[in-house]
Amino acid sequence: MEKIRRKTLLYRTKVEYGNFCLNHVLGCSHGCRYPCFAMKNAKFHGWIKGDSEWWCNPKLVENALELLDKEIPKYKEEIDFVHISFTTDPFMEGYPEVKEMTLKIIEKLNKNNIKCTVLTKGIYPKVLTDKTKYGSGNYYGITLVSLDDDFKNKFEPFSPSINDRMNALKYLHDNGLKTWVSIEPYPTPNLVEQDLMEILERISFVDKIIFGRLNHNKIVSEFKDKDQFFENCVGQAIKFCKEKNIGYHIKNGTQKIYNSDTEKIFEASIK
Ligand code: SF4
């Protein structure tokens, strides 16, 4: 695996439900075709030179742990939690070096009494249940926008199967860890016909759900009733979460009237 070195790692994120974040890999092997906003953003800012093939050949930040040693004392008072990650996948398929580094990062943050929210389309390793290394205050999440394998194979071509992803998350839940699901970017029916309730029922064991619409996609923009469709989805998701006592947040821009009350979805419970 290619390696790079960086000058900084931790940063305050602008994502509304985040606090601090780190991305210890440049690129991501999952090659999502929604499209991948992280890749688009990196291209827009000139941080990467190549196309999606380049992006799918990830580069590990080899000095990530050294950077954390310097930055944790600097930011500790400001950090409520660290999100891993918004612009790459910490448990991406096919790169054991990434998994190893992610585990070391979580361990280091937890040893410094800093909790993490983690998000992946990959498979969580069972070792995360080892309480001598990893705290029990972290929130482990997966992205899940469809139960349809054909959709997954087309839009998340190199990520693990939906069932494997969910089973790994359920294992962490069954072993007493906190879990969440990001149902984002949720597609319109002209991309995949599906019932949101089916997805919600399958993940009813989790502690938190975040729902957000798919943007920047030509086919979605062609769906005539898209705004009403997403309003209905939001209504379903909120009703479901309230009934099951699951914390939730609806991403900004998903419904007509944005409710910022639930932005602190993790902060409120993680302390
Ligand atoms: S998992 Fe995330 S970062 Fe990786 S390709 Fe998919 S959208 Fe991009």
Side-chain angles (χ1 to χ4, degrees):
M1 177 176 198
E2 281 183 54
K3 309 272 169 62
I4 56 169
R5 292 183 74 78
R6 281 206 176 132
K7 291 188 179 143
T8 60
L9 193 70
L10 283 168
Y11 66 96
R12 188 177 275 283
T13 173
K14 290 187 183 135
V15 175
E16 73 239 23
Y17 61 86
N19 174 232
F20 271 73
C21 180
L22 64 81
N23 302 293
H24 51 301
V25 184
L26 178 61
C28 176
S29 67
H30 289 160
C32 299
R33 293 174 184 152
Y34 300 117
C36 168
F37 182 72
M39 184 185 79
K40 276 182 77 133
N41 196 41
K43 274 177 105 166
F44 177 80
H45 285 100
W47 298 331
I48 63 168
K49 294 179 195 87
D51 52 12
S52 48
E53 206 175 306
W54 191 96
W55 182 257
C56 288
N57 178 23
K59 287 107 185 121
L60 183 71
V61 178
E62 63 178 356
N63 60 335
L65 295 170
E66 292 159 44
L67 289 171
L68 274 186
D69 284 335
K70 279 192 217 149
E71 293 177 353
I72 287 173
K74 188 172 160 195
Y75 295 120
K76 202 168 174 182
E77 294 307 312
E78 293 172 63
I79 296 175
D80 293 316
F81 59 94
V82 173
H83 183 79
I84 310 168
S85 304
F86 278 126
T87 70
T88 187
D89 193 312
F91 292 106
M92 67 181 68
E93 198 65 356
Y95 288 88
E97 302 95 324
V98 172
K99 181 174 92 176
E100 264 168 53
M101 181 66 92
T102 302
L103 289 172
K104 283 181 186 162
I105 287 172
I106 295 172
E107 187 179 353
K108 189 177 275 296
L109 290 169
N110 289 172
K111 291 255 150 74
N112 281 278
N113 292 320
I114 296 171
K115 291 170 182 163
C116 312
T117 58
V118 189
L119 182 61
T120 185
K121 288 190 185 83
I123 305 294
Y124 278 113
K126 291 183 175 170
V127 70
L128 283 166
T129 59
D130 179 352
K131 293 196 173 67
T132 64
K133 284 186 161 182
Y134 313 104
S136 52
N138 303 319
Y139 274 88
Y140 297 102
I142 58 167
T143 301
L144 185 73
V145 299
S146 178
L147 300 174
D148 185 305
D149 286 328
D150 290 339
F151 178 84
K152 188 228 85 83
N153 291 338
K154 189 168 172 194
F155 286 90
E156 304 167 355
F158 309 119
S159 66
S161 78
I162 292 163
N163 271 339
D164 288 352
R165 208 184 294 177
M166 276 202 290
N167 289 342
L169 189 72
K170 184 75 168 42
Y171 180 85
L172 298 190
H173 165 81
D174 290 345
N175 283 275
L177 298 179
K178 296 177 196 167
T179 55
W180 63 292
V181 168
S182 171
I183 310 179
E184 192 204 13
Y186 194 72
T188 43
N190 59 340
L191 278 170
V192 58
E193 281 283 356
Q194 59 182 0
D195 181 357
L196 177 60
M197 282 309 293
E198 259 183 65
I199 299 176
L200 292 167
E201 290 291 352
R202 287 286 296 276
I203 58 168
S204 61
F205 63 89
V206 301
D207 301 283
K208 314 264 180 197
I209 290 175
I210 288 177
F211 182 85
R213 68 193 279 173
L214 173 52
N215 289 308
H216 311 293
N217 180 297
K218 194 169 170 285
I219 300 173
V220 170
S221 63
E222 285 166 3
F223 189 67
K224 202 158 69 71
D225 299 321
K226 56 185 176 304
D227 291 340
Q228 190 54 51
F229 170 74
F230 285 120
E231 289 290 337
N232 295 346
C233 290
V234 167
Q236 272 184 313
I238 292 177
K239 184 168 179 285
F240 180 87
C241 289
K242 282 184 174 168
E243 279 170 9
K244 303 278 182 192
N245 203 19
I246 296 171
Y248 67 88
H249 175 64
I250 308 301
K251 282 287 298 286
N252 196 359
T254 296
Q255 53 185 154
K256 225 178 279 164
I257 300 167
Y258 175 61
N259 180 0
S260 61
D261 293 352
T262 52
E263 272 183 5
K264 306 295 175 203
I265 179 169
F266 293 115
E267 247 162 282
S269 57
I270 214 162
K271 284 182 176 174

